[in-house]
Amino acid sequence: MSGPRPVADGAPAAADSIALGDTIRFRGSTWQVTAFHGPRLFLDAVPATPDADPLIILQTAVTSAGDFAVVDRAAPRSTLPDRPAEFRALAKDVRKDALVWEKHVKEVLHQQAPNVAATTVPRPDFDPQHRTLRQRYQAKAEQLALAGMPVSATTVERKCAAWRREGLMGLVDRRSLRAATPHGRVDARVVKIVWEILREEAASGRSPGTLSRLIERVEQTVKVRHGGLLADPKTARGLVNSPATLYRLLGRMGITADNAHRAAERHVAPSATVSQHPGSRRAILARWPGELVQIDTTGLDVLVLDDSGRAISVELTIAIDVATRSIIASLIVPKRLGIGRKGRWAGGRATRSFDTMQVLAQATAPLPARPGWAPETFMEGSSLPFEDLLAADARFAGAAARPVIKPETVVIDHGSPYISTDFTRACHSLGIEVREARLRTGADKAVVERAMRAVKTGFSQYLASYTHHRLDLRGKRVRKQPLWTIAQLQDLFEQWVVLHWQQTPHGALRSPFTPGLKLTPNQMYAAMVSLRGYRAVALTAQEERKLLPAVWVRVGRKGFQINNRTYNLDRGRLDPFRGPSGITAQQGRWEVHYSPNHPEVAWLFDHQVEPGLDPWTEVPFIHRRLLSDRWTEEAWEEGLRVHLAAGGARHNEVAIARATEQLLRTAASGPSSAPAAPPAGRTAAAPRAARPAARTPSGAGMPPLDPNSVRPFRSLDRPAGDLFDTPERIRGKTDLSLDEFLASLPGLHPSAAAPDTTSSTDRGPAAAPDREVSGIDRQASDRPYGEEPQGDSR
């Protein structure tokens, strides 16, 4: 697919955002998109001619043309004139009056009344051939006045205009549509005074006190501010209220003596109906797939094993399509905790902007079915239109039964991963509008919040490592249960989405043809995909690099650095970038993109490159050869932490790389103890190590040993001093010669006499050495070198 192109009217339009009804420019002519069928477009010439045939052409041929542009687009959402469900919900007398008025309006506008043949000649007073429209208005007003309904011609004209604009609902009496205000008959200015008093008390640090004191202050403030209006009963209506009415008002506002100040803090958030953020209007309804996608991150309440074998928590990020309730992307990341300053727990690795960008990338490509998945997970044979999607995109071959929906608008919260520059830039490059939800306003992201609850009740609680979000309901020995790894948990969750979520009927998914039948997300997508069609999003390598996180660096003689790593090219190939980049907003620095999952290389983008040349320059990490295994940004940070804990310097990249390599080898070798059984069978207990078989002793079958029959081994047949023939002096504090050193040893006095062959038993106790030697040591010292021991080996 080609990248975005400018539109004639000034509105950006991506090549993959062609919709039904669009007017496009192609090959010097103007065409209107009338239908989608797989990868083909049906185009009609504009202006239309009776003898012109529609043009059927591949979408890629249209979007890759040099003069392709979207000239005009259908108008935004408009009110529907026919609202039967809303009309049936009204009271019976209100519906009856509207139907009576519809009969009169049709007669005035020369549309035949119900149960009257179309060939019937209109009455003379309402014949458009002889009476003007204003004369017909007056004639209908006179007719209704004679029938006991005195109305003016202006009323009849207003009813006819409302019927043309809104249909039958335009004839409904507006007084029946008025909803009761949440504060009853109390004036809104009194409600405003209540919140002001509570916020003032909380800011000044005063105690909230009782509700009676609050009511007294409200009455006093009303008298001071609106004293001139209280004299007239008409203007004082709603401002003067009894204490009982004010007590009921505080109850409806959720204010009690215990939570008055907390209620005021919650009320600081913008109203659910009035937006104070530009571009953050409330919208939870969508008309076609991809029109509105909500994305959110939350803890999964599951413990997993990290690479070092520790039990850690994880976070789940999902993107859900509002129109079909399909989970179109998901990602599970580890959440590590560490000890910060003053012994407090400090947050660690969790969802980052790069993770949210990976979620966006998942939404633009099919999910491949992995080996070992059940046949029910394949798209072929599911409720999705597999043949049509495969004809439009070959990547659907072997894909799982999860639709591919490119978001048009993404609703996010105010978390740091979503408001980051990298995430916003990635969305804009894909032609996705980013809309921020209002603070503390759950209605803006109600669909994804409810989906997160369903994930915990339908998926998390069935895992052996489930930890309840409430401490009183959490298991006591969860960490000792068999735990999954992050990769295994990600695989399990994707299977659950395909098998359970996408194929379970949803209460909010109803077909207009069968409103009493609930549809699954896959069935809803199959019914709605024809509204906008499917367009494959295939990004080039350069477009994918633009989606990676960006840093701005200065290039020097030794290259540039990213997170304490030096990147450089040999033979001075980075010398052209040692000067300023020409971008004043970045102080002349250069734009560099890299992947945290593969930081061995970085790509430097040249803004000054000539047209037609590749602006990307691949720059490797200079010490990448010290890291033999695949490593990530997280592994490098862990190696840096270990290196600094050992007293190393931050600028010693070689030592950091070696520490990271050692961590990778330790993780690859696994735990030091015997590995546990794989978590395939979660209910089976871990196998115990088998006991070694009892060995037969080597002395089995021998007669009992008589100590008196054992002959001792001989002593050394030469003096100990003769064993050392080196003339070197002994190095040490005393610097003695060898003879002097041997003479200084206690109990060892070399002599030139003949060796003593007398056995130790004949010497008697007087011949015993100065220190007592055990039997085993005595045998070892008396045994000649090379002679094997005799007797019982035990």
Side-chain angles (χ1 to χ4, degrees), residues 334-338 346-352:
K335 183 178 180 182
R336 304 183 187 275
L337 295 177
R349 165 78 163 90
T351 304
R352 301 177 180 178

Side-chain angles (χ1 to χ4, degrees), residues 504-699:
T504 300
H506 198 288
L509 302 180
R510 308 274 180 166
S511 172
F513 306 103
T514 56
L517 180 64
K518 294 187 294 184
L519 303 180
T520 65
N522 283 347
Q523 292 173 347
M524 195 67 181
Y525 176 81
M528 301 182 68
V529 66
S530 58
L531 297 177
R532 303 284 286 183
Y534 173 79
R535 278 84 65 197
V537 181
L539 301 178
T540 63
Q542 297 185 3
E543 293 173 341
E544 291 178 351
R545 291 171 189 170
K546 270 292 185 180
L547 298 181
L548 296 176
V551 293
W552 295 87
V553 300
R554 299 186 185 277
V555 181
R557 181 178 57 86
K558 297 182 179 180
F560 56 88
Q561 279 205 343
I562 301 176
N563 294 344
N564 209 60
R565 295 186 304 273
T566 301
Y567 294 80
N568 198 1
L569 290 173
D570 54 359
R571 301 178 182 178
R573 286 185 291 173
L574 276 185
D575 291 343
F577 303 98
R578 294 177 61 179
S581 63
I583 303 178
T584 308
Q586 295 294 336
Q587 292 80 39
R589 292 176 293 184
W590 293 90
E591 181 182 359
V592 175
H593 294 257
Y594 78 102
S595 172
N597 291 341
H598 188 66
E600 294 183 357
V601 295
W603 289 274
L604 189 148
F605 185 78
D606 187 5
H607 299 80
Q608 303 175 358
V609 69
E610 298 180 0
L613 299 179
D614 187 8
W616 297 95
T617 302
E618 182 177 340
V619 186
F621 174 45
I622 60 176
H623 300 300
R624 66 189 184 281
R625 301 189 184 277
L626 297 177
L627 299 166
S628 57
D629 296 332
R630 182 75 177 267
W631 57 286
T632 62
E633 184 81 12
E634 184 182 4
W636 177 266
E637 293 177 356
E638 186 69 15
L640 175 62
R641 185 190 64 81
V642 173
H643 173 70
L644 295 179
R650 183 177 292 272
H651 63 273
N652 193 350
E653 299 182 19
V654 175
I656 300 174
R658 290 174 177 171
T660 305
E661 174 67 13
Q662 183 62 34
L663 289 176
L664 295 175
R665 290 183 178 180
T666 304
S669 61
S672 57
S673 60
R682 309 302 289 177
T683 58
R688 298 182 178 180
R691 294 183 178 181
R695 296 185 300 175
T696 303
S698 59

